[in-house]
């Protein structure tokens, strides 16, 4: 077979060579000297999930915490893997960039919302890189490493049925590949001229002897060749070498993911590939492609699957798009989880030593933590929404009230627009959010924006309602009398001790115990206690029986609003 002639028959319009593209995309400065180059390569399906953020966070940390000896920093870029146009969803790229941007995951280069991309290693949309892939396929044809395959759907189906009947591995390999591998130039030319559809397949080597890369080794185990690589997370990984003649270029001239990502990661000079463990089974294919193409293989880092405890069975299971709303990143934006809280929590499940570091460095910036793949678990990473909420309480406590007020307003503007105008008064909102945060035992009841708004909504007349009844120890007549006396004696300028002394007086005058323990010991001697009297006032002012300190709340509400609410309940 004259492979040069075959290559020209199959790709007459491709005039660039791999060497041309090597010159267009030279090695990045510093990448061989400590600067790590990572990428995120989502498909534009319109759904971006927690696993994407999980992986992106690893990518971002690896790149941005690295630098070459001369100070050249690492690079984190965005590549859109859109070769499957059936899965393309309009606006998906914007969703990726916006969703990750919310969590402060920023790219140094790559695809953008305008569909162009910024950086010297583009195009960053795989759909724009067709000639590049075809140039490398053409070169593989010339080297006898790939071949055209004209097998029809019926023939492929018949092969699969035979393999299943014989309990063999399905696919095109060995004797099942022989028909296509043995076609002559004249047969191939005739098939093309007849308009027969064909794909380009990798001509897999049945035996592997030595690798051109120091990152790959081959071992023989009972007559089976294994590839051995060092995974950035899992350590030594050994798997049977690939023997499948996989499709690398589809009939429409578009590459498969297997082929495209190998070409792109090489030309974009990716040093570390972070991806889910579901891709482990494809690793032998990718190793062979890197070997055939003569590329140095990047360090693969296969992350653990995100798991949760199933509420019904109590067993671990994968997070499900159908069952678990918290899998979608939109969930966190719509509920208003602060990005700092989510990132803080993710680090607790990403690195086993993070919580210990945080305990020793409670005030340190999260970026000061030295992230490493060696501390990542290779088992299922357990996601716990309750733990995220506990961490969120601590994180929000450390965010200044003014900054938190800005966050609340921005959240409301997008997800609760009817309330946004109320939150425009940042001074008022900041005072509300700062309540009790500087006490000896600071309040930790702010978790996420939607919950916070519900929690503080009584500060706004549009949302103020009486949600609870007065305590059963207090009659309606007494409740009215308590509020009348409270209103008669109310002085907004009273300090906290003066204010409470007046409540104690009302309590004693109406036959309630000034000390709750007295009522508890001798309930027959009192109608109730000062706690019940205070609750009547609390419900009148806040509409609830539980809230932060009433005096402090009244100081924020202002005298007019306090008097008006009490008068209305009377």
């Amino acid at each position: 077979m004259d492979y040069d002639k075959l290559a020209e028959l199959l790709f007459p319009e491709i005039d660039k060579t791999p060497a041309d593209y090597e010159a267009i995309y030279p090695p990045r400065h510093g990448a061989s000297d400590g600067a790590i180059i990572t990428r995120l390569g989502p498909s534009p399906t319109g759904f971006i999930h927690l696993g994407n953020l999980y992986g992106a966070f690893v990518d971002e940390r690896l790149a941005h915490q690295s630098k070459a000896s001369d100070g050249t920093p690492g690079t984190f870029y965005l590549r859109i893997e859109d070769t499957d146009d059936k899965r393309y969803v309009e606006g998906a790229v914007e969703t990726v960039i916006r969703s990750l941007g919310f969590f402060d995951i920023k790219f140094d280069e790559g695809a953008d919302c305008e569909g162009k991309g910024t950086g010297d290693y583009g195009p960053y949309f795989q759909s724009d890189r067709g000639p590049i892939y075809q140039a490398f396929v053409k070169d593989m044809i010339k080297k006898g490493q790939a071949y055209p395959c004209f097998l029809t759907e019926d023939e492929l189906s018949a092969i699969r049925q035979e393999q299943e009947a014989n309990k063999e591995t399905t696919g095109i390999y060995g004797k099942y590949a022989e028909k296509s591998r043995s076609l002559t130039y004249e047969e191939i030319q005739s098939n093309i001229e007849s308009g027969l559809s064909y794909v380009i397949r990798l001509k897999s080597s049945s035996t592997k002897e030595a690798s051109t890369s120091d990152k790959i080794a081959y071992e023989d185990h009972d007559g089976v060749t294994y590839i051995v690589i060092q995974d950035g997370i899992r350590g030594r990984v050994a798997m049977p070498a690939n023997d499948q003649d996989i499709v690398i270029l589809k009939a429409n001239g578009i590459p498969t993911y297997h082929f495209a990502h190998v070409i792109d990661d090489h030309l974009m000079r990716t040093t570390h590939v972070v991806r889910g463990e579901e891709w482990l089974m494809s690793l032998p294919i990718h190793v062979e492609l890197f070997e055939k193409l003569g590329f140095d293989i990047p360090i693969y880092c296969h992350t653990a699957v995100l798991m949760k405890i199933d509420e019904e069975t109590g067993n671990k299971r994968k997070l499900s798009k159908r069952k678990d709303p918290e899998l979608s990143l939109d969930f966190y934006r719509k509920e208003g989880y602060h990005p700092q809280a989510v990132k803080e929590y993710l680090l607790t499940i990403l690195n086993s030593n993070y919580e210990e570091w945080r305990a020793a460095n409670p005030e340190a910036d999260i970026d000061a933590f030295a992230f490493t793949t060696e501390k990542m678990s290779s088992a299922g990473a357990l996601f716990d929404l309750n733990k995220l909420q506990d961490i969120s309480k601590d994180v929000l406590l450390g965010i200044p009230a003014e900054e938190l007020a800005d966050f609340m307003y921005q959240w409301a503007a997008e997800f609760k627009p009817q309330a946004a105008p109320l939150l425009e008064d940042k001074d008022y909102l900041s005072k509300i959010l700062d309540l009790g945060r500087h006490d000896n035992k600071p309040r930790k009841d702010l978790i996420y924006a939607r919950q916070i708004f519900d929690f503080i909504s009584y500060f706004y007349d549009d949302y103020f309602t009486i949600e609870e009844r007065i305590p059963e120890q207090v009659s309606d007549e007494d409740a009215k009398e308590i509020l009348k006396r409270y209103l008669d004696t109310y002085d907004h300028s009273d300090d906290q001790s003066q204010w409470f002394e007046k409540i104690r007086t009302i309590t004693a005058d109406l036959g309630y115990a000034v000390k709750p323990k007295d009522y508890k010991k001798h309930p027959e001697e009192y109608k109730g206690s000062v706690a019940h009297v205070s609750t009547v006032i609390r419900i009148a002012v806040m509409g609830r029986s539980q809230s932060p300190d009433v005096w402090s709340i009244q100081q924020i509400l202002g005298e007019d609003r306090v008097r008006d609410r009490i008068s209305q309940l009377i």
Side-chain angles (χ1 to χ4, degrees):
M1 173 74 75
D2 184 338
Y3 290 124
D4 285 340
K5 187 177 178 182
L6 177 61
E8 291 304 323
L9 172 67
L10 297 174
F11 299 99
E13 74 287 356
I14 298 299
D15 55 4
K16 279 191 169 61
T17 67
D20 293 325
Y21 288 111
E22 294 287 349
I24 293 170
Y25 304 108
R28 293 177 186 261
H29 179 70
S32 61
D33 185 30
I36 291 176
I37 314 301
T38 61
R39 50 78 168 171
L40 187 70
S43 297
T45 60
F47 180 74
I48 183 162
H49 54 78
L50 192 63
N52 297 130
L53 176 62
Y54 185 81
F57 199 12
V58 178
D59 282 318
E60 187 273 336
R61 289 290 78 200
L62 287 176
H64 291 165
Q65 287 194 345
S66 72
K67 60 182 178 181
S69 57
D70 65 357
T72 301
T75 301
F76 175 39
Y77 69 90
L78 175 64
R79 183 175 74 222
I80 301 300
E81 299 182 345
D82 58 346
T83 55
D84 187 352
D85 55 7
K86 294 178 181 177
R87 301 181 66 201
Y88 181 80
V89 174
E90 193 68 36
V93 176
E94 292 85 341
T95 298
V96 170
I97 294 173
R98 184 193 70 239
S99 297
L100 292 177
F102 175 78
F103 294 99
D104 201 31
I105 301 293
K106 295 183 174 63
F107 301 96
D108 301 303
E109 65 181 60
D112 58 29
C113 296
E114 286 71 44
K116 297 177 182 177
T118 55
D120 297 330
Y121 289 81
Y124 295 96
F125 290 77
Q126 286 186 333
S127 58
D128 295 332
R129 297 173 64 84
I132 300 175
Y133 306 128
Q134 292 184 20
F136 280 89
V137 174
K138 182 175 182 178
D139 190 63
M140 292 182 76
I141 295 287
K142 285 185 176 183
K143 294 176 179 177
Q145 297 174 334
Y147 63 91
C149 173
F150 295 87
L151 290 173
T152 65
E153 288 299 321
D154 288 342
E155 289 175 309
L156 291 169
S157 178
I159 290 173
R160 174 177 285 275
Q161 289 175 18
E162 180 182 343
Q163 291 169 336
E164 290 175 346
N166 296 335
K167 296 183 179 179
E168 297 174 319
T169 302
T170 59
I172 302 303
Y173 60 93
K175 68 177 184 179
Y176 300 107
E178 192 56 36
K179 175 184 176 182
S180 298
R181 282 192 179 201
S182 62
L183 289 174
T184 65
Y185 176 86
E186 289 72 25
E187 288 173 322
I188 293 171
Q189 184 179 38
S190 176
N191 286 342
I192 293 174
E193 290 174 352
S194 299
L196 297 184
S197 177
Y198 65 93
V199 298
I200 304 295
R201 290 186 182 273
L202 167 72
K203 187 182 288 185
S204 179
S205 304
S206 57
T207 59
K208 314 288 191 299
E209 295 178 357
S211 173
T212 57
S213 171
D214 59 3
K215 297 176 185 174
I216 304 170
Y218 295 106
E219 296 178 356
D220 184 274
H221 295 274
D222 298 324
V224 177
T225 301
Y226 276 66
I227 61 160
V228 181
I229 72 164
Q230 196 71 16
D231 187 279
I233 295 173
R234 297 163 187 272
R236 186 180 188 273
V237 172
M239 302 177 70
N242 175 60
D243 65 354
Q244 296 270 349
D245 286 7
I246 59 132
V247 175
I248 58 176
L249 201 68
K250 292 178 276 190
N252 57 6
I254 294 175
T256 59
Y257 168 79
H258 298 303
F259 189 73
H261 103 273
V262 168
I263 299 298
D264 292 342
D265 282 338
H266 171 68
L267 291 181
M268 294 179 178
R269 310 299 174 175
T270 311
T271 63
H272 291 62
V273 173
V274 179
R275 61 186 188 182
E277 68 176 27
E278 67 272 15
W279 287 105
L280 266 173
M281 296 306 295
S282 301
L283 187 58
I285 293 172
H286 301 156
V287 167
E288 182 166 9
L289 284 169
F290 272 102
E291 290 275 75
K292 283 279 196 301
L293 291 160
F295 300 159
D296 187 31
I297 192 169
I299 295 174
Y300 279 101
C301 305
H302 289 92
T303 61
V305 171
L306 286 174
M307 312 282 284
K308 72 173 291 185
I309 300 297
D310 190 279
E311 294 178 359
E312 296 179 3
T313 66
N315 298 323
K316 288 183 181 180
R317 64 167 175 81
K318 292 182 183 179
L319 280 171
S320 162
K321 181 178 178 180
R322 181 173 58 85
K323 294 181 179 180
D324 307 310
E326 67 268 32
L327 181 61
S328 170
L329 288 194
D330 270 351
F331 169 83
Y332 302 94
R333 294 181 61 247
K334 289 176 180 177
E335 293 299 292
Y337 283 89
H338 198 284
Q340 282 184 223
V342 177
K343 289 176 69 174
E344 186 87 15
Y345 173 64
L346 280 180
L347 270 176
T348 70
I349 57 177
L350 279 169
N351 265 197
S352 57
N353 61 329
Y354 180 73
E355 290 182 88
E356 181 181 344
W357 176 86
R358 174 53 77 196
N361 303 275
E363 304 299 326
D365 189 287
I366 194 171
D367 289 345
F369 174 70
F371 175 83
T372 173
T373 56
E374 286 79 7
K375 291 293 184 179
M376 292 182 68
S377 171
S378 59
L382 189 61
F383 182 82
D384 183 347
L385 191 61
N386 290 327
K387 185 173 181 180
L388 166 60
Q389 293 182 353
D390 286 340
I391 287 175
S392 185
K393 293 175 184 178
D394 288 322
V395 170
L396 295 192
L397 189 62
I399 297 175
E402 296 78 12
E403 185 180 326
L404 200 54
D406 285 334
F407 174 74
M408 286 293 299
Y409 175 74
Q410 291 165 9
W411 169 81
E414 186 170 2
F415 298 108
K416 202 175 182 68
Q418 69 275 21
L422 299 177
L423 305 186
E424 285 183 344
D425 186 342
K426 301 290 180 58
D427 290 338
Y428 183 64
L429 179 56
S430 296
K431 290 175 183 176
I432 296 170
L433 297 173
D434 220 22
L435 261 176
R437 282 159 46 102
H438 305 289
D439 296 346
N440 291 331
K441 289 186 177 180
R443 291 173 46 234
K444 293 184 180 181
D445 42 21
L446 306 183
I447 308 173
Y448 53 92
R450 193 175 300 280
Q451 173 266 340
I452 293 172
F453 184 81
D454 291 342
F455 187 68
I456 67 172
S457 60
Y458 59 82
F459 280 95
Y460 298 95
D461 292 339
D462 290 358
Y463 288 87
F464 173 71
T465 59
I466 302 296
E467 297 180 359
E468 298 180 54
R469 294 182 58 82
I470 61 175
E472 61 181 15
Q473 291 85 353
V474 182
S475 66
D476 288 347
E477 292 76 14
D478 273 4
K480 184 176 289 189
E481 187 62 26
I482 289 169
L483 294 177
K484 283 182 177 179
R485 294 190 182 205
Y486 184 75
L487 201 57
D488 289 342
T489 61
Y490 183 75
D491 186 339
H492 196 67
S493 63
D494 283 344
D495 62 27
Q496 195 162 17
S497 60
Q498 293 171 322
W499 164 81
F500 190 62
E501 188 58 38
K502 291 179 178 179
I503 293 178
R504 288 164 61 90
T505 299
I506 295 170
T507 298
D509 289 348
L510 294 178
Y512 292 81
V514 173
K515 297 179 180 179
K517 64 180 181 180
D518 291 342
Y519 171 68
K520 190 172 183 180
K521 287 182 180 179
H522 305 286
E524 72 282 356
E525 295 182 11
Y526 304 96
K527 296 177 180 179
S529 75
V530 68
H532 302 120
V533 173
S534 297
T535 298
V536 172
I537 298 168
R538 189 186 300 270
I539 289 174
V541 177
M542 274 74 76
R544 310 171 185 183
S545 62
Q546 298 292 324
S547 74
D549 174 63
V550 179
W551 180 83
S552 298
I553 290 172
Q554 291 179 152
Q555 294 303 302
I556 296 173
L557 286 170
E559 182 172 1
D560 291 344
R561 188 177 277 126
V562 171
R563 288 186 175 279
D564 182 59
R565 289 184 179 184
I566 293 172
S567 298
Q568 285 188 42
L569 190 56
I570 291 174

